[in-house]
Amino acid sequence: MPRRKNPQPRRRQHASVIDDEDVVQDTVGSRETTSGTEETQPRKRVRWGGGLETQDEDEDEEEEESSSCVEREKKYLSGRVACAYYDPVTFTMYVLEDTPENQHFDLTKAFLEQASPDVVLTSSKADDNCMDVLRDHMDGSGGTFQVRPHKNFIPNKGRERLLSLRLLSELPAMCASDSMSEVSSTSEARNAYDFMRRRREVGGDPTTQKWNASVRLANFASVDNSPLCLGSIGALLDYLTRARAVSELEDEGVGGLEIRDIKPLPLFHTMQINADALFSLQIFEDENHASIHSDKTKEGLSLFGILNSTKTTLGRALMREWFLRPSMSLEVINARHDAVQSLLRPDNIASRLAMHSHLNGMKNIPRILVAMKTGRAKVSDWQGLVKFAFHALLLRDSLSELNQASHVEIVRRLLAVLEVVRLREIGNVVNETIDWEESTNAGRVCVRARVDDELDNLKHIYNGIDAVLSKVAEQVSATIPLDYTPSLNVVYFPQLGFLVCVPMKEEWKSEEGIQVLEGWSFQVKIAVQMPHRFKPHYLADMDTHIGDLHPAIVDREIEIVQILQEKILVHEKAINHACDVCAELDCLISFAQASQSYDYRRPRMTQDNVIDIKQGRHPLQEIVVDTFVPNDTYLVGGADTDVTVENDDDDSDMEDERQYVKNSIMVCTGANACGKSVYLKQIALIQYMAQVILTRVQTRESVSRVQSAFMIDLNQVSLALRNSTERSLILLDEFGKGTLPTDGAGLFCGVLKHLLERGPRCPKVIATTHFHDVFQNELLSPHRLPVTFVHMQVLLASGTGNISVNSDGSADASDDEGVQIGPGEKITYLYKVANGYSLHSHAITCAELFGIPKRVTSRAKYVCELLARHEICQLLDEDMTDGERQELEEAEEVCRKFLAWDLTPASVTSHQGSVRDALAEILDRPMHD
């Protein structure tokens, strides 16, 4: 453990914070004892969803509310989680952006296992199920679990604390010693403005520091669009600040914390891919609803959209989770590939379609079980449970019909979890208990006949009550006066019992009011014109003897359904596990259908740091164009790596042809910027499930961001350089544009050379550029650097019908001199990658195709030729008159004579006459006295 500057022992805080959409908060820390006498030290904390606090904090402090904070619905199928983690050894903070979390809290459990916290704190607004997960983990590890207030996890406060760090607010180029010496050398400031200016030079302008921090934040982590992560970071910094003030007796605020770096949190066996990469590669694409009055979205043209044909709610959620956190485990990936390959067999297609149809009949069973436990299960929920048991049995039969699938892991797991006895028992007991027809008519769960004798007796009385009421009505009519009412009815109301319904009489509308017979009691008046309800004493006797039938029936049915629920919930764990495996099968069937529809091939996974693609295609581009041209790619990670690749085909020419690409960095040049961008994204999408991807393919601009488009590009490249490893894949699409060409080209070369200097730890890099000057003057020479140069082929057709292909096979730019661009020529982009670099962008030909006038393109071509020959000054001679041109020629002649004059001392002294005379003679000017 490194020591601090002061000699006394001090506590190190090792903390991590996790935040979810329900603001689940936690804090992780480590305990440390000092040598010598033992002393009590505060324990570290992990705050799930917020920050870190000391236990001495006043619990009764008034909670701060933010108008921008909105209470989120506690649904973990759509919930999100974020975290922050502090390493006291390297003084590094690790952050995890807002990420969707599933109902099993797998991401939360993975972080807890990876961080091994001593103390876990959670928000008072955290989800109860998440609290159970945290409590169980801490009980098993011997740690402490506490519930803390929610007030420290406001994202705006977290952002302010984060921007106050010296790591972000102070630029490294500023030299404090020089500023101090400058201030000390001046005896006194002459005015207040000069004083404030020098004070800002020493301490820094707070506004400028905050602006610098907001700009540099994206260099370390993309958390601007992650409110949960910002809340976690803010709470973590708040706790570290308080803990440092208590242990070191120094209160310098957040700016006094020693944090040297901020990095994304890498989770084991999970691909590291940020939100910018997901957006650039079009993994997800949300389209707005057609109606402007709806805020709902739908999946547009995206990789998830073309691969997702799942039938179940759990299947869709699981597939989205796979896309957001792809597995890096070869065992898991190969198991999925085996399943897809088995489902693609021609003799298994019918079984696959049948299984997908059975999955379509399965509802969200975990949600139904939760509704049962809370007593809110509806008739549709019970029907969904029976359908699940029915379709699960049919699904098991379809699994047994698969050919050569005994080795597939998902098949073995499904056959194990779909137990025939259990499923039949569940289906039979529900179907034999619930009366579906009566339940549908009544709008509640009703029980069948012959299930309970007491219930059957109550229903028998209730169903025959019409005849009883008719007899009672006849008896009542015989006992009342003839002039009291011409008609009456005896009715039964649940909760009110048996009543006599008498029509409203005109005299009852007077001041005397309603006349009540002796032995009767007035019960209720619904409306003036509606009949009034009375209860004679003998109907009260019926209430006593017969009872309130309807509530008694409902209560008894509730008791029977409760017993049925207890029988079902015994199998809750097994049912949920079966649903999870069925969701995985749903995703794999979707992959198989997409593979069959788009003619995908199974990749061969390997631990070697190699990308070897044959006839690769862009999964999105090929479905929106008439013709798509596939391309090969072969790239080896590590600049000094030499990997031997097995060639399945006995084609030595192909192996020799691909020798030129055995490098870590590939640069694509020349024309067809669209084709180069498609080529980059194609490689990334193909490697999506196998490699870590960090991209700078597309700039995400927003008026709410302080950075310009070029600054956003720099942030993305900085993030990639900081976090890339030798197994990473970095895509750079036209990096350097948006600023001066010289500066952009310099940055482009600097990034590539920085990566090459890593040697064996150089990541795999594919870059495209239009900076053709960097290939001259040996700036990026293929003869000196291990860089592979390729370009996109272009087909040129002249007006005479001659066709030539721009295919720069070597690094010499003179190879393209035979390709002349005439006025009648047209250009066709072939989208085919070829060896070598190209110095032609064919922009003039492309401009002609899109309607730019000939005089403009001819002028542009002439200027380009002058620039290539470094004769741009000829443009100044075009508008000169004959007299001006003659005068310029004479001046040039004079300059040449003057420059040719020998000014050595011997030559000057040997000349007869004065120097002035010699100058006049050389310049052919008359001599004057």
Side-chain angles (χ1 to χ4, degrees), residues 233-446:
I233 294 173
L236 172 63
L237 294 177
D238 181 64
Y239 168 72
L240 293 176
T241 302
R242 299 186 185 207
R244 180 177 181 273
V246 171
S247 62
E248 301 178 4
L249 301 180
E250 297 178 4
D251 189 6
E252 300 178 10
V254 176
L257 293 177
E258 189 171 3
I259 297 180
R260 300 176 183 175
D261 200 1
I262 302 174
K263 295 182 178 180
L265 177 65
L267 295 176
F268 298 148
H269 305 297
T270 302
M271 177 185 289
Q272 177 188 345
I273 180 167
N274 56 13
D276 288 336
L278 293 174
F279 175 81
S280 300
L281 299 178
Q282 210 167 336
I283 304 300
F284 301 99
E285 183 71 21
D286 289 336
E287 290 186 355
N288 295 328
H289 196 273
S291 174
I292 61 174
H293 303 289
S294 177
D295 56 354
K296 296 181 179 180
T297 61
K298 64 177 182 178
E299 191 69 31
L301 179 62
S302 63
L303 184 65
F304 179 79
I306 66 174
L307 297 182
N308 178 32
S309 59
T310 54
K311 300 297 184 181
T312 64
T313 303
L314 296 179
R316 286 189 292 272
L318 180 61
M319 179 172 286
R320 181 172 288 273
E321 181 181 342
W322 283 1
F323 273 70
L324 290 172
R325 296 192 295 273
S327 175
M328 294 292 291
S329 172
L330 283 181
E331 181 180 358
V332 173
I333 296 176
N334 286 327
R336 295 174 184 173
H337 291 172
D338 291 339
V340 173
Q341 185 175 3
S342 176
L343 294 172
L344 284 174
R345 290 175 55 88
D347 50 356
N348 289 336
I349 293 179
S351 299
R352 186 189 74 203
L353 296 177
M355 287 188 296
H356 223 189
S357 176
H358 298 321
L359 289 171
N360 191 28
M362 296 183 181
K363 305 301 180 181
N364 190 352
I365 301 302
R367 184 196 62 80
I368 293 176
L369 295 178
V370 171
M372 289 182 180
K373 288 192 294 185
T374 57
R376 294 182 288 107
K378 302 178 181 178
V379 178
S380 58
D381 295 333
W382 289 100
Q383 291 175 342
L385 184 61
V386 174
K387 290 181 179 180
F388 167 75
F390 173 74
H391 288 288
L393 289 173
L394 296 179
L395 177 63
R396 196 180 194 283
D397 294 338
S398 299
L399 285 171
S400 61
E401 296 175 0
L402 291 175
N403 295 319
Q404 298 185 9
S406 58
H407 66 285
V408 178
E409 180 185 358
I410 187 66
V411 175
R412 296 199 304 266
R413 290 168 57 193
L414 276 172
L415 293 176
V417 299
L418 298 180
E419 302 179 16
V420 177
V421 176
R422 187 193 304 272
L423 294 174
R424 287 181 178 175
E425 179 183 353
I426 293 174
N428 290 335
V429 70
V430 175
N431 201 34
E432 293 174 356
T433 303
I434 299 178
D435 189 333
W436 303 113
E437 183 178 358
E438 184 180 355
S439 299
T440 303
N441 296 331
R444 58 181 179 83
V445 181
C446 298

Side-chain angles (χ1 to χ4, degrees), residues 841-914:
S841 65
H842 302 294
I844 298 176
T845 306
C846 184
E848 291 179 355
L849 291 178
F850 285 91
I852 303 298
K854 288 284 186 180
R855 63 180 183 275
V856 177
T857 57
S858 299
R859 176 67 174 176
K861 181 180 179 181
Y862 173 68
V863 173
C864 289
E865 292 175 352
L866 293 180
L867 286 172
R869 298 196 303 266
H870 301 284
E871 298 176 358
I872 192 64
C873 335
Q874 293 187 13
L875 297 177
L876 302 176
D877 302 341
E878 294 180 352
D879 297 333
M880 297 177 64
T881 63
D882 294 340
E884 292 174 342
R885 188 175 291 103
Q886 181 65 28
E887 182 180 354
L888 183 61
E889 292 176 356
E890 293 176 357
E892 181 180 357
E893 182 65 22
V894 171
C895 291
R896 291 183 183 277
K897 289 182 179 181
F898 180 78
L899 294 175
W901 184 23
D902 187 5
L903 295 178
T904 59
S907 176
V908 174
T909 55
S910 63
H911 194 279
Q912 297 180 356
S914 64

Side-chain angles (χ1 to χ4, degrees), residues 132 164 187 211 269 317 334 370 392 436 443 465 503 509 511 556 659 702 717 731 758 888 922 924:
D132 294 339
S164 300
S187 59
W211 187 87
H269 305 297
N334 286 327
V370 171
W436 303 113
I465 200 171
K509 299 179 183 179
E511 295 181 359
R556 185 55 185 165
Q659 291 293 332
S702 174
V717 172
L731 307 179
R758 296 188 183 182
L888 183 61
I922 291 174
D924 195 15

Side-chain angles (χ1 to χ4, degrees), residues 120-180:
V120 172
L121 307 180
T122 185
S123 168
S124 57
K125 295 184 179 180
D127 182 81
D128 293 338
N129 295 327
C130 186
M131 286 188 180
D132 294 339
V133 171
L134 301 177
R135 184 180 293 106
D136 293 342
H137 179 86
M138 299 312 296
D139 291 343
S141 61
T144 304
F145 174 75
Q146 297 179 1
V147 178
R148 305 291 291 175
H150 170 56
K151 59 187 176 182
N152 296 316
F153 308 104
I154 299 176
N156 291 338
K157 294 172 61 177
R159 180 180 175 83
E160 292 296 327
R161 292 188 178 98
L162 183 60
L163 297 181
S164 300
L165 293 176
R166 287 197 303 248
L167 173 68
L168 301 177
S169 60
E170 296 182 2
L171 298 178
M174 298 295 294
C175 182
S177 60
D178 295 341
S179 301
M180 290 295 294

